[in-house]
Amino acid sequence: NDGNYVLTGFTSNDDSDKSDVFFAKVNIQGNVLLKTSIKITNKYDGGYSISKTADGGYIIGGEAGHSHNEDFMMLKVDQNGEKQWSKNFSDGHVDTSAYDAIEASDGYFNFVGSQSIVDRYDDIRFFKTNSTGNKIWDKTYGGDKDDIGESIIESENNTFVVVAGTFSYGKAGDVLLMKINSDGEVI
């Protein structure tokens, strides 16, 4: 709303398997106004997406943990990138990552990404939490090959459109559009 841009990603002081979540604010000329790193674990943490929240802060979706053994990570920060809370969800799966995060009109947070399924590649993972990151529901979608949720938007009547890459449907390497309701049921 102030005309600036916010960024998230991974940052590290060396080439080890350790990183922190990167948060930065730049103006329209590209001048850095603020940059910081946010530690979630002592291992491999980073943000893939960031979006504005109703309180003026941001919600970040990403991953936290060991490289190639990450947890699905959600991070809430204020307007200056100060950590308000974070949650990691692994549920015993090897690799899980949140690639997009939004706050819906009902105040709940919605995350989409991927979850490695043993002997089945990746499935699309959709996660819904309340305003403090407590899980409402967690669902996976996909076929017998890789399906990875990349982006989410809210549509009419608190429904959501997910864009995913799919190898299970269509021809190898297609785009999958999926519309779901607020309970995670496919429309």
Side-chain angles (χ1 to χ4, degrees):
N1 294 338
D2 60 8
N4 296 315
Y5 298 98
V6 291
L7 306 145
T8 192
F10 295 70
T11 185
S12 179
N13 290 331
D14 55 35
D15 291 331
S16 69
D17 275 345
K18 295 181 181 179
S19 63
D20 294 325
V21 177
F22 178 75
F23 175 89
K25 224 181 236 195
V26 298
N27 64 18
I28 58 172
Q29 290 81 27
N31 299 315
V32 176
L33 304 174
L34 168 72
K35 67 178 180 176
T36 187
S37 62
I38 306 157
K39 184 178 290 302
I40 305 298
T41 69
N42 288 325
K43 299 184 176 57
Y44 185 75
D45 309 329
Y48 285 116
S49 69
I50 187 168
S51 65
K52 193 149 184 67
T53 56
D55 65 1
Y58 303 94
I59 190 71
I60 297 172
E63 59 191 27
H66 296 283
S67 179
H68 302 296
N69 189 17
E70 301 90 10
D71 293 342
F72 200 87
M73 185 272 297
M74 51 193 74
L75 169 63
K76 176 70 175 75
V77 298
D78 67 14
Q79 69 242 9
N80 297 313
E82 293 291 323
K83 178 179 167 182
Q84 295 178 308
W85 54 260
S86 69
K87 302 279 181 160
N88 300 354
F89 297 94
S90 67
D91 300 332
H93 293 90
V94 177
D95 288 323
T96 60
S97 301
Y99 293 122
D100 201 6
I102 62 168
E103 180 181 29
S105 58
D106 60 7
Y108 289 104
F109 294 118
N110 297 271
F111 302 84
V112 68
S114 68
Q115 173 175 299
S116 290
I117 306 295
V118 177
D119 298 327
R120 284 194 50 226
Y121 303 95
D122 285 350
D123 272 351
I124 299 163
R125 187 174 189 187
F126 194 107
F127 212 97
K128 182 175 185 173
T129 74
N130 66 12
S131 61
T132 57
N134 295 319
K135 181 169 48 172
I136 304 296
W137 52 259
D138 175 8
K139 296 187 178 185
T140 58
Y141 312 87
D144 59 356
K145 295 183 180 152
D146 280 329
D147 304 299
I148 298 173
E150 302 284 350
S151 184
I152 180 175
I153 60 165
E154 184 173 7
S155 189
E156 73 283 343
N157 303 319
N158 200 229
T159 61
F160 301 89
V161 176
V162 172
V163 177
T166 182
F167 285 87
S168 297
Y169 308 103
K171 297 180 180 175
D174 277 351
V175 173
L176 173 70
L177 287 175
M178 179 174 66
K179 188 171 189 178
I180 62 173
N181 66 19
S182 61
D183 294 320
E185 298 165 347
V186 176
I187 296 170

Coordinates of all heavy atoms in Angstrom, one line a residue, residues 19-67:
S19 N 20.6 -21.9 6.3 CA 20.1 -20.6 5.8 C 19.0 -20.1 6.7 O 18.5 -20.9 7.5 CB 19.6 -20.8 4.3 OG 18.5 -21.6 4.3
D20 N 18.7 -18.9 6.5 CA 17.6 -18.3 7.2 C 16.6 -17.7 6.2 O 16.9 -17.5 5.0 CB 18.1 -17.1 8.1 CG 18.9 -17.6 9.2 OD1 18.7 -18.7 9.8 OD2 19.9 -16.9 9.6
V21 N 15.4 -17.3 6.6 CA 14.4 -16.7 5.8 C 14.9 -15.3 5.5 O 15.2 -14.5 6.5 CB 13.0 -16.7 6.4 CG1 12.0 -16.0 5.5 CG2 12.5 -18.1 6.7
F22 N 14.9 -14.9 4.3 CA 15.3 -13.5 3.9 C 14.0 -12.7 3.8 O 13.0 -13.1 3.2 CB 16.0 -13.5 2.6 CG 16.4 -12.2 2.0 CD1 17.4 -11.5 2.6 CD2 15.7 -11.7 1.0 CE1 17.8 -10.3 2.1 CE2 16.1 -10.4 0.5 CZ 17.1 -9.7 1.0
F23 N 14.0 -11.4 4.3 CA 12.9 -10.5 4.2 C 13.5 -9.1 3.8 O 14.5 -8.7 4.4 CB 12.2 -10.3 5.5 CG 11.1 -9.2 5.4 CD1 9.8 -9.5 5.0 CD2 11.4 -7.9 5.8 CE1 8.8 -8.5 5.0 CE2 10.4 -6.9 5.7 CZ 9.1 -7.2 5.3
A24 N 13.0 -8.5 2.8 CA 13.5 -7.2 2.4 C 12.4 -6.3 1.8 O 11.3 -6.8 1.4 CB 14.6 -7.3 1.3
K25 N 12.6 -5.0 2.0 CA 11.7 -4.0 1.4 C 12.5 -3.1 0.5 O 13.6 -2.6 0.9 CB 11.1 -3.2 2.5 CG 9.6 -3.0 2.4 CD 9.1 -2.1 3.6 CE 8.0 -2.9 4.3 NZ 7.2 -2.0 5.2
V26 N 12.0 -2.9 -0.7 CA 12.7 -2.0 -1.6 C 11.7 -1.0 -2.2 O 10.5 -1.3 -2.3 CB 13.4 -2.7 -2.8 CG1 14.5 -3.7 -2.3 CG2 12.4 -3.5 -3.6
N27 N 12.2 0.2 -2.6 CA 11.3 1.2 -3.2 C 11.2 0.9 -4.7 O 11.8 0.0 -5.2 CB 11.7 2.6 -2.8 CG 13.0 3.0 -3.4 OD1 13.6 2.4 -4.3 ND2 13.6 4.1 -2.8
I28 N 10.4 1.8 -5.4 CA 10.2 1.5 -6.8 C 11.4 1.7 -7.6 O 11.5 1.3 -8.8 CB 9.0 2.4 -7.3 CG1 9.2 3.9 -7.1 CG2 7.7 1.9 -6.7 CD1 8.2 4.7 -7.8
Q29 N 12.4 2.4 -7.1 CA 13.7 2.6 -7.8 C 14.6 1.4 -7.5 O 15.7 1.4 -8.1 CB 14.4 3.9 -7.4 CG 13.7 5.2 -7.9 CD 12.5 5.5 -7.0 OE1 12.5 5.2 -5.8 NE2 11.5 6.2 -7.5
G30 N 14.2 0.5 -6.7 CA 15.1 -0.6 -6.3 C 16.0 -0.4 -5.2 O 16.9 -1.3 -4.9
N31 N 15.9 0.7 -4.5 CA 16.8 1.0 -3.4 C 16.3 0.2 -2.2 O 15.1 0.2 -1.9 CB 16.8 2.5 -3.0 CG 17.3 3.4 -4.2 OD1 18.3 3.0 -4.8 ND2 16.5 4.4 -4.5
V32 N 17.2 -0.4 -1.5 CA 16.9 -1.3 -0.3 C 16.6 -0.4 0.8 O 17.4 0.5 1.3 CB 18.1 -2.2 0.0 CG1 17.8 -3.0 1.3 CG2 18.4 -3.1 -1.1
L33 N 15.4 -0.6 1.4 CA 14.9 0.2 2.5 C 15.1 -0.6 3.8 O 15.4 0.0 4.9 CB 13.4 0.5 2.4 CG 13.0 1.3 1.1 CD1 11.5 1.5 1.1 CD2 13.7 2.7 1.1
L34 N 15.0 -1.9 3.7 CA 15.1 -2.8 4.9 C 15.5 -4.2 4.4 O 14.9 -4.6 3.4 CB 13.8 -2.8 5.6 CG 13.6 -3.8 6.7 CD1 14.4 -3.5 7.9 CD2 12.1 -3.9 7.1
K35 N 16.4 -4.8 5.1 CA 16.6 -6.3 4.9 C 17.0 -6.9 6.2 O 17.7 -6.3 7.0 CB 17.6 -6.5 3.8 CG 19.0 -6.1 4.1 CD 20.0 -6.4 2.9 CE 21.4 -6.0 3.2 NZ 22.3 -6.4 2.2
T36 N 16.5 -8.1 6.3 CA 16.8 -8.9 7.5 C 16.7 -10.4 7.3 O 16.2 -10.8 6.3 CB 15.8 -8.5 8.7 OG1 16.2 -9.1 9.9 CG2 14.4 -8.9 8.3
S37 N 17.3 -11.1 8.2 CA 17.2 -12.6 8.1 C 16.4 -13.0 9.4 O 16.6 -12.4 10.4 CB 18.6 -13.3 8.0 OG 19.3 -13.0 9.2
I38 N 15.6 -14.1 9.2 CA 14.8 -14.6 10.2 C 15.1 -16.1 10.4 O 14.9 -16.9 9.5 CB 13.3 -14.4 9.9 CG1 13.0 -12.9 9.5 CG2 12.4 -14.9 11.0 CD1 11.8 -12.7 8.7
K39 N 15.6 -16.4 11.6 CA 15.9 -17.8 11.9 C 14.7 -18.5 12.4 O 13.9 -18.1 13.3 CB 17.0 -17.8 13.0 CG 17.5 -19.2 13.3 CD 18.6 -19.2 14.4 CE 19.9 -18.7 13.9 NZ 20.5 -19.3 12.7
I40 N 14.4 -19.7 11.8 CA 13.3 -20.6 12.2 C 13.9 -21.8 12.9 O 13.5 -22.1 14.0 CB 12.5 -21.0 11.0 CG1 12.0 -19.8 10.2 CG2 11.3 -21.9 11.4 CD1 11.1 -18.9 10.9
T41 N 14.9 -22.4 12.3 CA 15.6 -23.5 12.9 C 17.1 -23.2 12.8 O 17.5 -22.1 12.3 CB 15.3 -24.9 12.2 OG1 15.9 -24.8 10.9 CG2 13.8 -25.1 12.1
N42 N 17.9 -24.1 13.3 CA 19.4 -23.9 13.1 C 19.9 -24.5 11.8 O 21.1 -24.8 11.7 CB 20.1 -24.5 14.3 CG 19.9 -23.6 15.5 OD1 19.8 -22.4 15.4 ND2 19.8 -24.3 16.7
K43 N 19.0 -24.8 10.9 CA 19.3 -25.6 9.7 C 19.0 -24.8 8.4 O 19.4 -23.7 8.3 CB 18.7 -26.9 9.8 CG 19.2 -27.7 11.0 CD 18.6 -29.1 11.1 CE 19.2 -29.8 12.2 NZ 19.0 -29.3 13.5
Y44 N 18.2 -25.4 7.6 CA 17.9 -24.9 6.2 C 16.5 -24.3 6.2 O 15.5 -25.0 6.1 CB 18.0 -26.0 5.3 CG 17.9 -25.7 3.8 CD1 19.0 -25.1 3.1 CD2 16.8 -26.1 3.1 CE1 18.8 -24.9 1.8 CE2 16.7 -25.8 1.8 CZ 17.7 -25.2 1.1 OH 17.6 -25.0 -0.2
D45 N 16.4 -22.9 6.3 CA 15.1 -22.2 6.3 C 15.1 -21.3 5.1 O 16.1 -20.7 4.8 CB 14.9 -21.5 7.6 CG 15.2 -22.3 8.8 OD1 14.9 -23.5 8.8 OD2 15.6 -21.7 9.8
G46 N 13.9 -21.1 4.6 CA 13.7 -20.1 3.5 C 12.3 -19.8 3.1 O 11.4 -20.7 3.4
G47 N 12.0 -18.7 2.5 CA 10.7 -18.3 2.1 C 10.6 -18.4 0.6 O 11.5 -18.0 -0.2
Y48 N 9.5 -18.9 0.1 CA 9.2 -19.0 -1.3 C 8.1 -17.9 -1.7 O 8.1 -17.6 -2.9 CB 8.6 -20.4 -1.7 CG 9.7 -21.4 -1.8 CD1 9.7 -22.5 -0.9 CD2 10.7 -21.4 -2.7 CE1 10.6 -23.5 -1.0 CE2 11.7 -22.3 -2.8 CZ 11.7 -23.4 -1.9 OH 12.6 -24.4 -2.0
S49 N 7.3 -17.5 -0.8 CA 6.2 -16.6 -1.2 C 5.9 -15.7 0.0 O 6.2 -16.0 1.2 CB 4.9 -17.3 -1.6 OG 4.4 -17.9 -0.5
I50 N 5.4 -14.5 -0.3 CA 5.1 -13.5 0.7 C 3.9 -12.7 0.2 O 3.7 -12.4 -1.0 CB 6.3 -12.5 1.0 CG1 5.9 -11.6 2.2 CG2 6.7 -11.8 -0.2 CD1 7.2 -10.9 2.7
S51 N 2.9 -12.5 1.1 CA 1.8 -11.7 0.8 C 1.3 -10.9 2.0 O 1.5 -11.3 3.1 CB 0.6 -12.5 0.2 OG 0.1 -13.4 1.2
K52 N 0.7 -9.7 1.7 CA 0.3 -8.8 2.7 C -0.9 -9.4 3.5 O -1.7 -10.1 2.9 CB -0.1 -7.5 2.0 CG -0.3 -6.3 3.0 CD 0.0 -5.1 2.3 CE 0.0 -3.9 3.2 NZ 1.0 -3.9 4.2
T53 N -1.0 -9.0 4.8 CA -2.1 -9.4 5.6 C -2.9 -8.2 6.1 O -2.4 -7.1 6.0 CB -1.5 -10.2 6.9 OG1 -0.6 -9.4 7.6 CG2 -0.9 -11.5 6.4
A54 N -4.1 -8.4 6.6 CA -5.0 -7.3 6.9 C -4.4 -6.4 8.0 O -4.7 -5.3 8.1 CB -6.3 -7.9 7.3
D55 N -3.5 -7.0 8.9 CA -3.0 -6.2 10.0 C -1.8 -5.3 9.5 O -1.1 -4.7 10.4 CB -2.6 -7.0 11.1 CG -1.5 -8.0 10.9 OD1 -1.0 -8.1 9.7 OD2 -1.2 -8.8 11.8
G56 N -1.4 -5.3 8.2 CA -0.3 -4.6 7.7 C 1.0 -5.3 7.7 O 2.0 -4.8 7.2
G57 N 1.0 -6.6 8.2 CA 2.2 -7.4 8.1 C 2.2 -8.3 6.9 O 1.5 -8.0 5.9
Y58 N 2.9 -9.4 7.0 CA 3.0 -10.3 5.9 C 2.9 -11.8 6.4 O 3.4 -12.1 7.5 CB 4.3 -10.1 5.1 CG 4.4 -8.7 4.7 CD1 5.1 -7.7 5.4 CD2 3.9 -8.3 3.5 CE1 5.2 -6.4 5.1 CE2 4.0 -6.9 3.1 CZ 4.6 -6.0 3.9 OH 4.7 -4.7 3.5
I59 N 2.5 -12.7 5.5 CA 2.6 -14.1 5.7 C 3.5 -14.7 4.7 O 3.4 -14.3 3.5 CB 1.2 -14.8 5.7 CG1 1.2 -16.2 6.1 CG2 0.5 -14.7 4.3 CD1 1.5 -16.4 7.6
I60 N 4.4 -15.5 5.1 CA 5.4 -16.1 4.3 C 5.3 -17.6 4.3 O 5.1 -18.2 5.3 CB 6.9 -15.8 4.8 CG1 7.1 -14.2 4.7 CG2 7.9 -16.5 4.0 CD1 8.4 -13.8 5.3
G61 N 5.3 -18.2 3.1 CA 5.3 -19.7 3.0 C 6.6 -20.1 2.5 O 7.3 -19.5 1.7
G62 N 7.1 -21.3 3.1 CA 8.4 -21.8 2.7 C 8.7 -23.1 3.3 O 7.8 -24.0 3.4
E63 N 10.0 -23.3 3.7 CA 10.4 -24.6 4.2 C 11.4 -24.4 5.3 O 12.1 -23.3 5.3 CB 10.9 -25.5 3.2 CG 12.1 -25.0 2.4 CD 12.5 -25.8 1.2 OE1 11.6 -26.4 0.6 OE2 13.7 -25.7 0.8
A64 N 11.5 -25.3 6.2 CA 12.4 -25.2 7.4 C 12.9 -26.6 7.7 O 12.1 -27.6 7.7 CB 11.8 -24.6 8.6
G65 N 14.2 -26.8 8.0 CA 14.7 -28.0 8.4 C 16.0 -28.4 7.7 O 16.8 -27.5 7.3
H66 N 16.3 -29.6 7.5 CA 17.4 -30.1 6.7 C 17.2 -30.0 5.2 O 16.1 -30.1 4.8 CB 17.8 -31.5 7.0 CG 18.1 -31.8 8.5 ND1 19.3 -31.4 9.0 CD2 17.4 -32.3 9.5 CE1 19.4 -31.8 10.3 NE2 18.2 -32.3 10.6
S67 N 18.3 -29.7 4.5 CA 18.1 -29.7 3.0 C 17.7 -31.1 2.6 O 18.3 -32.1 3.0 CB 19.5 -29.4 2.4 OG 19.4 -29.4 1.0

